[in-house]
Structure formats: structure tokens, C-alpha cells
Amino acid sequence: MDSKAYSGGLAELRALRDDIKPLQRELSKLQADLAKLHSRRDRQIVQLGTYEKAKADRIATSAGLSVIDVVALVPALGPQGASGEAPSSQVTGPDSPEAQEAAPAMKEVPAAPGEAQTAEPAGTVACLSAASTDPASEPDAPAVSEQAAAEPAPAATGSGEDVRVLPSIPDGGDGDSWFRAEPGLASQRPNFKQAARAMAFLDAATGVLVWQGGTVRLDLGRASVAEILTAVYAQAPATIERIYITAGDPWHQGAERHEFLKDAVAAWLNGPLPEGWTVESTRGKDRQAGHLVHPRNPVGRWQRGDQHVDIRSVGEWFDPEGADPATVRAAFVELWKALRPHFEDVVLMGSPSQTGRDLWSRTIPTKAGARWADGFPVMSQEIRGLLHATAGQGRTELITPPRVPERVPGWYEVDRTFAYAKHTWASGVGVPRRINAAAFAAMSEKEQTNALFAPSHWQVRVTIPKGWSHVGLLPAPAPGERSWHYPYEGGRTFTTWAGGAEVNLALRNPIAPWRIEILDGLLWESGDPLKSWSTKLREAWQSLRATAELHGDEQQKQACRLASRAVRSILLYGIGTFAQRPRITTGSLELGAGGAVPDLPDGARLTGITDTHVTWERNQGFARDQYAHPEWAAGVWSAARAALLSVSTSSKDPATGKPLKAGALHLPPGSILAFRTDAIYTSAPVDWEYGGEPGDYLLKGRMPWEQTTPRTDEEFYYLQGLGRQALEAEGM
């Protein structure tokens, strides 16, 4: 750059400054106006909460808030007011290897010199120390999510930040009454077979359409809904009920005209329709009417008389990675063929989550006298609500400077392949027991250890050791709009909920034990309701991967690779369906004369507006779903988060014969750059051997040269793509 260019750049910078200043003033005014409106809304909620028949869920949907936000403003609308603090038991553990048996010595111990002190609750303080465990005996599945129409009462969290308040179980009989099954509701094996739906695969960019009857190239024009429906059914039979978009993302048309991508999707879904077509309003029991407005994988549903069709993204199942529609169709064929030997009545449904839950339901035992032959009981709405509010899913975290350097010596991505299958061997079944602080303190050492290793979910007060220099271990309610974060500052104390797997990891991590005080908890009987299902899926996954390695035809190799990823999605999203979140209904209405916004359905909130339509959504709470088992999803997710930090691999140490360890805590402090569900991104070289078993870490990206540390998601995904390309280039 010369001096002339430099002077010109300064002039441009001053012009930008002058453009920014008035917008900043306008933004400040808007923020002040918004704060006033928030204050008015909160006062209105408090006033409405005084009505004797007021309901938290009704007020929440009208206010555009979550139920727990409303309960925080009006505690009387929860099942109980905020509970008093119960006596707590404290569990701490030193750095110790996992050995043959968990048999800690329990004793009363004061806080270590220099360690942050917290006000000790009344009651005995029991400390877990010198623990050693057999990795083979570790249950891989403790706890996660569900929010009931009536939210549990809130409990305070630590740290003094303006964070989301997590609920607690009420004291005494009110809380004990939560520990029951829903009357007349249990997961039972279905006595019918799903109906198969004919599918077609469309590249919206090129117009290539593939179905069982052939391949054609269509003129889609601008690829609006009307143009797609008209072009497809001019060539393909009306019996096709699902059209999977493999490329082109037509729902992102005109995205630049909308502030949010979701608004562009809604505008596309609600565009004009050909004569005779309407948005779907009637469906069978296994189907859902109306559109699903999702920013990247939406589902549009339409009908013409008795003819029904979904337009969906194949991205629900896998990233097609540029595969043409014929290859994508071949992947679905290979998927069905791989599942057929394990599930004789397999039918591929619209999404991997629906398929996963249907396949699982067909593994429920039916033999007379067998355990759970009458079905797996569904927990009370209160317990499901507690799990929904107090447990999260996969860990997503971007670690930025100053926690890590501005420049790092390299970029490495390692991913746990088919990881969730490793955490389905043991899950909680039946109605849980409540283990409050006093009950935990009264247990013997062995009983305490067994409780922590069993399927369980605990309310804990956590103190991070002084001098801790690595990543956070336990999730906590996050400030701002994020759901969860992972405190890491030495000496910090906070209150949260965590699954047994994560509590054990905090106590027995390979660096230094964290101080844990048990405040309350749920403890289930250990069973294996997911084991048969996940074993069958694992075998299908392995067979597809093997075929992809050996097949001589490049198209079939790619089809089998994609099909193996679809099996992963069936497991991943199938587990997610057990969480049974509140039902969110979406819809749209035409604008009135002069662009007037029409009246929305009772309890709905406005989510978008275009030149012709408004879109809305409504939280309808929890259905009486016989397959609602958030305790199972919670257990898998908790164990998977713990395994990101430290887990036994399928490789053995030649010296000891014991499984080798892997995970973030086995990498240098300050080297972890990000977590994404089952993947770790680090600046340190990783040499963990990949054994090909579920849960093993596979190197997926590598750039062993200096990089600028990503500070935004956009920068992160850019480096992720470069790292994968660089590793692929190494193998060429």
C-alpha cells in the first residue's frame, strides 16, 4: 500500500464513521424503547398472574416467552413456590486412575487451603475421595430434557450473573408426588406396520428428478413451490408423496430481502399454489399437517384432494456432498437393504427421527412374563418438565482469545464416530427414586458410589479448584440467550443440574477433582431399553461402511457412505425424539385489506411477515406421548458430553493391557479451540489410534501449520472446511 492508497483509505474510514453515528443513535433509541416495552410486558405478566385461574403456559405463549420465564416473574404459577434449601451432601474426589472397583473412603473434610469457601448447608457433609473404578463397569448413560406445561419451581444459581434460573424439586410431599408414572401411559410395541411412501429426488438447481420409474430434467423456472409441484407431477405419478431436495435450497430464494433466514423460508412455503392445491390440513395418525418452518431443513406439506405431498431437504438425513439425485436415491435403497436384516418390518419414514423411533418401538419386548412386557412407563409431567429445563444436548462451544492465543500452531479436528451407540447400553427404567441431600448423606460409601454410577440426574453445587487451567467440565445456565455454558474459572462456585456421568467425570478427571455438593437427585433402576435397537443400527452402520470400502463402483461406494451417515442420523435424532419437547405448531394467514395483520389464533405469537402473509407459532405444551422418555435422551447426552473430555478407547496400552484414554482433558491446557457435539477442535497434534468402533476418535481435519484462531462461527466453519480439504489432499 502506498501513501495515496493509505490517505484514500482514511477518507473512506471517516465516511463510514459518519454513516455509523446516526445509526448508533437510532439503535440506542430503539433499545431504550424496547427496554420500556419489556418492562410493561413484565408488569402485565405479574398483574395477570394474580388471577386465580391464570396458567403459566397460556401467559407464556401470549407474551412470547418460555414458561420458566413466566414462572420466574410469578412463582405462584409454578407447581410450588421456590423451595427452601435442603441439607446437602458434598462429594469430592482426587485425581485417581480408574481401577477395578469404585470403593471410595468417605469422611468429613474441610475445604483445602486457598479453595473458595461456600456457605455449607445444614446436615452431614460426606466427601468422596481416593476413588478408583473399572472402566468396563462404568455405565455409559446417565440424563437430559423435557419441559412440562407446569414448570418445576425455580432454584437459584451461583456466580451472580444474570442467568437463566433452573428449577428445583419442591420439598416434602409436594415434591415426592412428582415421582410417579403417568396413569395409563406406557411405551408398547405397535401392532401395525407403517405404510411405505413413494419418494422422488430433485436437484432444484439443475432440475434433474429421479424416482423409481425413471429420470427426467425439468424446467423449474424460479423453483417456487407452484413451479416444482406443476413440473414434477407433469412427469411423475401422483403416487409420489415425498420429494427430497438434494441441492439448490429453493426455500432460500430472496433471502437477502429478509432479516432472518427463517423468514425467507416461510415466504417460500407460503407462496402461490397451482389451482387445486392447498396447504395440507388433514393427515393420518402417523403424519402431521401444516409446514415446518426450519431455516435449513424445512418441511412443506400440501394436498390436492386426496393426494398428499411433502417437500423436504435430504439434509435431514445426511449432507449429500454434491451427490446427484440418482446417487442419493441409491443411498436410500442401500439404507433400506442394510436395515432389513435387523428390522424385518422396516419402513423409511419422512425423517430419521421418525424412522428411529418407529424402529425402536418394534424392539419393545412382548413375551409374556418378560421384564417391561407391559410397556415402559412414561414419567410424570413434572419429572419430564424438570428434565427438559435442567439438561441440555450436545456440547457446542467456541473458545476464543484471550483464553487461547491469537495465533495457534495448527488445526486438528477429531470426531467420535457413531458415538451415541456407545452410550445406550444402560438407561434408567421405571419410576425414579428421589435422593435428596439428607438421603444421600445417609447412604453408605458403596451406596453413594453405586448411585453416582447408576442412571441418574443430580442437582449439585460445584466449586472449581483453584488453579484450574483447562476447559470447563459441567454445564451451567448461561448468561444472555445461550442455553448452557461451561464455567472454567478456578475458585468459582455455581449451582446446576448434571447427569451421573458428568458428575463422576468432575470427581475423577485426570487433572484435579472438582468439589461437588449433592443437593437433590433422581435415581433410576438400570436397564437396557435401547441396547437391542442401537446394536442393530450399529451392525447396519458397520456393514455399510465395509461395503463402501470394498465396492468397485464409485457411485455405489458413495451411496453406501451416505447411507451409513443416514444410520447415524437415525440413532442421533431417534434418541432426540425421546426428549419429547413441547409441540410447536406453525401456520400462516393472509394479510387483510391494506396490509392489515389478521387476528392470530389464541395463544399464538407472530414470527414473520411478508408482503402477503404473516406466520405464527404456538406452543401447545406436551402431548400424551407414549414414547416420551427424556430420561433416556438425557442419559445418552450426558455420557456423550463426559466422553468428549475423557473416555476409554478400543485401543489397548501395550504395557498394561488397559484401554487407552482420549478426550479434551488428555490434550494440553489452552489447546482446545472448540467443541461440536462429538467433535474436538484443537491446536495440538492428536495421535489417538482409530479402532473403527463406535465412540472412537477419527481424525477428520488437519492443518499442521500456524492459523489465526477463529472468533466467530463463520471463521470456525471456514477453518473446519479447510482442515478437511487439507487432510483429504494428504491422502491423494
Side-chain angles (χ1 to χ4, degrees):
M1 175 181 292
D2 56 22
S3 60
K4 183 178 179 181
Y6 179 71
S7 298
L10 291 177
E12 184 179 353
L13 193 60
R14 287 192 292 271
L16 289 171
R17 176 199 63 195
D18 294 340
D19 288 340
I20 289 171
K21 280 185 176 180
L23 293 176
Q24 284 181 324
R25 288 193 293 269
E26 185 178 348
L27 177 61
S28 298
K29 182 179 183 302
L30 288 172
Q31 289 174 331
D33 292 343
L34 181 62
K36 292 177 182 177
L37 290 172
H38 281 165
S39 180
R40 284 178 54 192
R41 179 197 63 193
D42 293 347
R43 289 197 299 272
Q44 181 75 352
I45 289 171
V46 171
Q47 182 178 351
L48 291 171
T50 61
Y51 178 50
E52 60 180 358
K53 295 183 179 180
K55 294 185 180 296
D57 58 333
R58 185 73 176 274
I59 294 176
T61 53
S62 298
L65 296 173
S66 70
V67 173
I68 197 167
D69 289 332
V70 172
V71 171
L73 290 168
V74 191
L77 294 180
Q80 289 291 322
S83 61
E85 184 169 69
S88 76
S89 293
Q90 171 188 310
V91 187
T92 61
D95 180 10
S96 61
E98 293 177 343
Q100 287 298 311
E101 185 175 3
M106 306 296 289
K107 57 184 180 180
E108 292 188 13
V109 181
E115 185 174 356
Q117 299 284 337
T118 58
E120 293 291 354
T124 304
V125 178
C127 299
L128 180 63
S129 62
S132 60
T133 58
D134 181 358
S137 69
E138 290 184 30
D140 278 319
V144 121
S145 115
E146 271 308 304
Q147 180 175 12
E151 285 288 351
T157 61
S159 83
E161 295 183 70
D162 182 18
V163 299
R164 181 165 47 94
V165 177
L166 296 182
S168 298
I169 306 172
D171 284 337
D174 292 329
D176 293 341
S177 68
W178 291 14
F179 291 77
R180 68 183 192 281
E182 283 289 341
L185 196 61
S187 302
Q188 296 179 320
R189 191 166 184 158
N191 56 8
F192 65 93
K193 182 177 179 179
Q194 295 288 357
R197 315 293 179 189
M199 297 180 281
F201 301 87
L202 175 65
D203 184 329
T206 65
V208 173
L209 176 74
V210 177
W211 76 101
Q212 188 176 17
T215 301
V216 295
R217 185 180 293 273
L218 307 175
D219 180 2
L220 297 179
R222 295 177 55 255
S224 66
V225 172
E227 289 166 319
I228 289 176
L229 292 176
T230 299
V232 167
Y233 288 109
Q235 298 286 338
T239 53
I240 288 176
E241 297 187 58
R242 289 190 195 121
I243 301 172
Y244 283 106
I245 304 297
T246 64
D249 296 345
W251 38 79
H252 290 162
Q253 290 178 10
E256 69 281 355
R257 299 195 301 270
H258 299 273
E259 183 178 1
F260 300 106
L261 200 56
K262 199 171 181 180
D263 294 339
V265 173
W268 184 84
L269 289 170
N270 290 298
L273 295 173
E275 185 177 354
W277 286 93
T278 60
V279 175
E280 184 179 73
S281 59
T282 58
R283 280 295 215 177
K285 287 185 178 180
D286 64 333
R287 299 173 166 197
Q288 190 175 21
H291 303 318
L292 171 63
V293 183
H294 186 279
R296 301 202 178 274
N297 296 316
V299 180
R301 302 181 176 100
W302 295 272
Q303 65 184 93
R304 181 171 58 179
D306 293 333
Q307 179 185 357
H308 297 268
V309 63
D310 295 354
I311 296 181
R312 319 179 68 110
S313 169
V314 79
E316 291 182 89
W317 292 86
F318 47 73
D319 179 356
E321 297 183 343
D324 58 46
T327 303
V328 173
R329 181 181 180 275
F332 275 78
V333 172
E334 293 299 327
L335 172 63
W336 184 87
K337 287 164 60 178
L339 293 172
R340 183 69 172 80
H342 307 289
F343 303 94
E344 63 180 19
D345 46 3
V346 59
V347 171
L348 298 182
M349 302 180 70
S351 68
S353 58
Q354 292 172 319
T355 305
R357 188 164 75 169
D358 182 66
L359 293 179
W360 172 78
S361 70
R362 297 171 194 282
T363 66
I364 298 174
T366 57
K367 185 178 179 181
R371 184 74 160 136
W372 311 113
D374 294 332
F376 295 101
V378 173
M379 300 299 94
S380 70
Q381 191 177 52
E382 292 87 352
I383 291 294
R384 285 181 282 139
L386 179 73
L387 288 171
H388 180 78
T390 62
Q393 300 185 29
R395 180 169 182 169
T396 298
E397 183 179 17
L398 183 64
I399 301 173
T400 59
R403 288 182 61 186
V404 292
E406 296 278 355
R407 302 277 294 176
V408 290
W411 173 273
Y412 303 86
E413 176 190 0
V414 284
D415 181 78
R416 299 183 68 226
T417 59
F418 209 57
Y420 282 11
K422 186 177 174 68
H423 306 300
T424 55
W425 298 102
S427 302
V429 289
V431 177
R433 293 165 51 202
R434 181 180 187 180
I435 308 294
N436 60 21
F440 190 87
M443 287 180 169
S444 68
E445 299 166 11
K446 184 173 179 60
E447 288 172 334
Q448 289 182 339
T449 301
N450 290 342
L452 289 171
F453 275 107
S456 52
H457 191 59
W458 303 95
Q459 186 182 31
V460 292
R461 183 180 294 115
V462 183
T463 301
I464 304 173
K466 286 282 190 180
W468 182 263
S469 61
H470 221 297
V471 296
L473 304 186
L474 294 174
E481 296 180 357
R482 293 175 299 151
S483 295
W484 303 94
H485 68 156
Y486 295 82
Y488 61 90
E489 304 91 340
R492 178 173 175 177
T493 294
F494 61 96
T495 299
T496 191
W497 285 81
E502 292 166 289
V503 172
N504 272 306
L505 187 281
L507 292 167
R508 299 176 174 83
N509 72 80
I511 298 175
W514 285 27
R515 176 186 176 96
I516 306 290
E517 303 170 57
I518 299 293
L519 305 177
D520 216 333
L522 296 82
L523 178 64
W524 283 270
E525 175 186 341
S526 183
D528 59 359
L530 305 178
K531 184 177 180 180
S532 173
W533 173 70
S534 68
T535 298
K536 293 172 186 289
L537 292 176
R538 183 193 69 204
E539 291 171 353
W541 174 75
Q542 290 173 326
S543 71
L544 286 165
R545 284 167 58 88
T547 303
E549 289 291 327
L550 301 174
H551 209 291
D553 183 88
E554 283 302 318
Q555 185 188 50
Q556 288 303 113
K557 286 172 73 77
Q558 187 178 14
C560 288
R561 283 197 299 269
L562 296 178
S564 72
R565 293 169 192 164
V567 176
R568 175 186 178 273
S569 296
I570 289 172
L571 179 79
L572 187 75
Y573 298 119
I575 287 170
T577 63
F578 292 124
Q580 194 240 348
R581 293 173 184 81
R583 293 176 301 158
I584 305 296
T585 302
T586 63
S588 64
L589 293 168
E590 286 192 53
L591 294 177
V597 176
D599 291 335
L600 300 182
D602 191 25
R605 69 183 185 93
L606 185 69
T607 58
I609 185 166
T610 69
D611 293 339
T612 58
H613 287 75
V614 295
T615 56
W616 54 266
E617 70 178 25
R618 178 170 54 187
N619 184 336
Q620 293 189 298
F622 291 93
R624 276 183 58 83
D625 184 354
Q626 65 172 320
Y627 299 128
H629 290 286
E631 68 275 17
W632 298 348
V636 173
W637 291 337
S638 174
R641 290 193 300 268
L644 268 184
L645 302 170
S646 182
V647 69
S648 298
T649 70
S650 62
S651 301
K652 304 286 185 179
D653 185 333
T656 64
K658 293 182 178 180
L660 291 171
K661 293 285 191 177
L665 296 182
H666 301 279
L667 293 169
S671 70
I672 307 302
L673 305 177
F675 294 101
R676 286 295 187 275
T677 308
D678 296 323
I680 299 171
Y681 299 82
T682 174
S683 62
V686 182
D687 59 358
W688 302 327
E689 182 180 350
Y690 179 64
E693 292 298 315
D696 280 355
Y697 279 97
L698 173 67
L699 184 66
K700 293 188 69 175
R702 174 169 57 194
M703 292 187 289
W705 54 84
E706 191 174 90
Q707 305 289 333
T708 299
T709 303
R711 288 178 171 271
T712 66
D713 284 344
E714 183 180 8
E715 293 172 354
F716 164 81
Y717 286 116
Y718 178 71
L719 279 183
Q720 181 194 66
L722 289 181
R724 292 177 179 180
Q725 292 172 16
L727 181 62
E728 185 178 356
E730 288 181 22
M732 291 182 176

